[in-house]
Amino acid sequence: MPLQPHLSADVSVVVIGYNDAAHIADAVRSALAQGPSVSEVVAVDDCSTDGTSELLDRLAAAEPRVRVIRREENSGGCGTPRNAGIDAVTTSYVMFLDSDDVLPPGAVDALLGAAREKQAEVVSGLCVRRELPSGREVPWQGKLYAEGAVLARPAHLPRLVHDTLCVNKLYRTDFLREHAIRFPEGRFPYEDFVFTARVLAAGPRMALIPDQVYVWNVRRSAGHLSISLDRSDIENWHARTEASRSAYDILLNAGQKELARAARAKFLDHELRMYARELGLRDAEYRRAWWDHTREYLGEYDAADWAVNPTASGRLLGRVILASPEPRDLARLKEFAARPSRLCPPYARDKDGAPVWADDLPQISLEPYLVRPLHVLPLAVDAELRAHASTSLLRLRLHDLYGRVASAGPEAVEVEWHHREAGRTVQHAAVPLTPSEDGTWSAETAVELAGLGAGTWDLRLRVRFTDGASREVTAHAHTGAGLLRRRVVPSVRYGVLLVQPYATHSGALALRLAAGLSGVTSVLRGRLSRLLHRAASR
């Protein structure tokens, strides 16, 4: 990202932190390293007790651009310290930075240059989620930032509601103040939802740039997960729905009906699917509370919210939940909430032969699947990996979907293993699909585990049909006959391999491999440590 030395100091970066002495210095330094465009870094300490405050004082003493604001009482959230930053900044533009994240080089110049050139009140750029400790980076809402764009009003691009982050954006300070745009005060998880809705409701001129402007560090192995990442308690779901409801109300009351409806669609496509995939991790009490609360929230939707694209996975998932007083079909819903969706059998029909979700839920019609394009259908493939000392085998079975698969003529399936941490891919040649007597199609291919190497591997498939059409799918992990057990197999290359096929949160087949005696020993030692920890905590 090239620097633009002609840009004058005109930006304040508000860094907020609470008890994060381990990371906040890196955040502040990444803001200072943006160069002369950053006039000041306003560091708001939310009443830390771990030395964060003293660390910020030392940074301020060494760098005149750092100004520290110390709150006397912890707010319990991110909104109040950010509001304090908005009140304190003295520059024309402001952006926000969390204490455990960083700004990549050139981020501020890219944002400020677009703000001035396009006369934009808000400029938004690409954020990447960096999974730590692996370092794997995943773009956040990458499609929005595939290329630059200028919008006279946010309503010209309703998909903007999907980017709820406040930190990958530069705001004209007067714009925020003139419209009294602030964060919710106190402990309010997902405060970004509300702030972003207030920004969009005010109808700013916006610019989108393809540059990477923010690194969101995700530390899932941390002792205490961040407020937004800790989804294990039902109160987190309550907070998520409340923030989504607030965003909808803000947009609707501002006359932004299209954006408001897009916000409700986004909840179905993102929030609902994400939490539904994780229901299998929760106990029965959580699942019942989640189900009841979700039905109550979805009851606020009107007919128009359900009418558009009724077979979109989130909408169909929501309609099944809304129509069912008791939790049901959790395993099937989990697979359907995957990306891409998998609609697993049984494939029910009503008394007239029309496709429906289930015999006892005929009001949930699947008839649109009879005419939907093949490349968007929620095809289901079962997969099992049989690890052996000689040759390991991957067996696949493709299900029909109300005759659509059979009529298209499934021809072959391309197999791909994707290394989750490194991002590299190992591909196999297309494997022919053979029809079976039960109306499915099967394929089998050898897997050279040593050729994959250590790490976590996701299985990705592409089903090809005789007319040239294709569909990317993931595969349901078959769990029978001990297929997901760990196995130690000999390897000419590594000596030994520890093989662990497993089902992801959405039920897809994935694979963990540990290579060599040291790798196997490390995994087994970690497993023993977790077992001892669980036993001690009982």
Side-chain angles (χ1 to χ4, degrees), residues 154-375:
H156 294 170
L157 185 61
R159 189 170 176 81
L160 283 173
V161 301
H162 285 253
D163 184 3
T164 52
L165 298 181
C166 73
V167 289
N168 60 330
K169 301 172 178 67
L170 181 76
Y171 308 88
R172 188 164 61 79
T173 308
D174 286 347
F175 165 76
L176 296 182
R177 290 173 177 168
E178 288 166 6
H179 294 276
I181 297 173
R182 299 175 71 79
F183 293 88
E185 295 281 348
R187 182 174 176 81
F188 192 103
Y190 307 106
E191 75 291 334
D192 282 23
F193 288 31
V194 173
F195 181 84
T196 300
R198 289 171 176 165
V199 169
L200 298 178
R205 179 178 174 85
M206 295 187 65
L208 309 183
I209 62 175
D211 304 77
Q212 181 179 321
V213 301
Y214 197 87
V215 177
W216 175 6
N217 288 322
V218 179
R219 295 177 172 87
R220 298 188 188 278
S221 59
H224 298 283
L225 290 173
S226 68
I227 294 172
S228 61
L229 288 177
D230 188 0
R231 299 192 290 268
S232 60
D233 191 279
I234 192 62
E235 292 306 316
N236 175 274
W237 183 234
H238 290 175
R240 194 103 181 196
T241 55
E242 179 57 31
S244 298
R245 178 188 289 116
S246 297
Y248 171 79
D249 290 341
I250 289 166
L251 293 167
L252 188 65
N253 292 336
Q256 303 281 3
K257 294 182 179 180
E258 190 173 4
L259 289 176
R261 201 167 299 287
R264 279 192 165 173
K266 172 254 183 187
F267 175 86
L268 297 174
D269 183 61
H270 182 64
E271 275 78 21
L272 187 64
R273 291 175 72 173
M274 176 170 58
Y275 282 73
R277 290 194 297 268
E278 297 177 350
L279 281 179
L281 305 175
R282 316 301 180 204
D283 59 25
E285 181 181 0
Y286 175 99
R287 291 196 293 268
R288 181 60 205 237
W290 185 91
W291 195 272
D292 290 344
H293 183 73
T294 303
R295 294 185 73 244
E296 179 184 358
Y297 178 70
L298 294 179
E300 300 172 11
Y301 280 45
D302 58 33
D305 292 321
W306 302 107
V308 180
N309 193 7
T311 54
S313 299
R315 282 184 176 87
L316 189 55
L317 179 65
R319 289 173 57 223
V320 170
I321 294 170
L322 191 58
S324 309
E326 303 290 332
R328 60 169 293 156
D329 301 339
L330 296 184
R332 196 176 187 218
L333 289 174
K334 174 183 68 175
E335 304 266 351
F336 192 68
R339 294 187 185 278
S341 290
R342 299 184 297 273
L343 182 57
C344 296
Y347 302 120
R349 296 180 182 269
D350 65 12
K351 60 182 181 180
D352 299 318
V356 294
W357 178 265
D359 293 334
D360 60 343
L361 214 59
Q363 66 270 41
I364 308 300
S365 173
L366 303 183
E367 203 159 8
Y369 284 145
L370 298 179
V371 295
R372 292 280 286 164
L374 195 66
H375 70 272

Side-chain angles (χ1 to χ4, degrees), residues 474-518:
T474 54
H476 161 76
H478 190 59
T479 59
L483 289 170
L484 302 186
R485 280 205 313 258
R486 282 191 181 92
R487 285 179 171 81
V488 177
V489 298
S491 167
V492 174
R493 182 173 180 179
Y494 296 107
V496 291
L497 278 172
L498 180 63
V499 184
Q500 171 68 77
Y502 75 100
T504 66
H505 291 170
S506 70
L509 180 67
L511 177 65
R512 294 191 187 99
L513 290 174
L517 185 59
S518 61

